[in-house]
Amino acid sequence: MEKLNIKAVLKESRQLSLRMKEIDKLISTKETEISRLEKMFSNPDSFERPQKLTLAGEEYQHLQRDIGVLWQEWQNLAMRSDEIESLNNDTRQSYHT
């Protein structure tokens, strides 16, 4: 029974790590898009029509919100990962005593 729990914890740890890496990539991609938009904002002539500026502003806000949500998820995953690491360390110590 204990081995199954350890396997489940190790599997969860791997899944957390994979998701955290995925989030890192998503954030990086969104930050690149934000940089692109910021360059456009610094050159108002790049917007042929006011509607394009409005849409770009909405996209910018959406990207900022997405990044905030992703960072929150990453922080939650990191806390869970730390909990698992702590459990793993406690388990190793109990086997050695």
Side-chain angles (χ1 to χ4, degrees), residues 4-81:
L4 289 177
N5 289 337
I6 290 171
K7 285 183 181 181
V9 168
L10 291 174
K11 181 180 178 181
E12 181 182 1
S13 179
R14 284 190 300 273
Q15 290 172 338
L16 290 171
S17 178
L18 289 173
R19 178 61 182 154
M20 289 171 74
K21 288 176 184 176
E22 182 181 323
I23 289 171
D24 284 338
K25 289 178 185 176
L26 288 169
I27 288 172
S28 178
T29 299
K30 290 180 184 296
E31 286 175 340
T32 299
E33 281 298 303
I34 284 175
S35 293
R36 181 187 62 81
L37 288 170
E38 287 172 343
K39 286 178 186 172
M40 289 174 63
F41 293 144
S42 68
N43 181 12
D45 294 335
S46 64
F47 297 100
E48 299 163 4
R49 295 173 295 175
Q51 295 91 344
K52 282 191 171 187
L53 178 60
T54 301
L55 290 174
E58 291 171 358
E59 181 182 0
Y60 182 85
Q61 290 176 344
H62 184 74
L63 289 165
Q64 290 282 18
R65 280 191 301 269
D66 286 352
I67 287 173
V69 169
L70 288 167
W71 271 118
Q72 184 63 49
E73 181 182 355
W74 190 94
Q75 290 171 337
N76 291 339
L77 294 172
M79 285 190 301
R80 179 61 184 148
S81 182

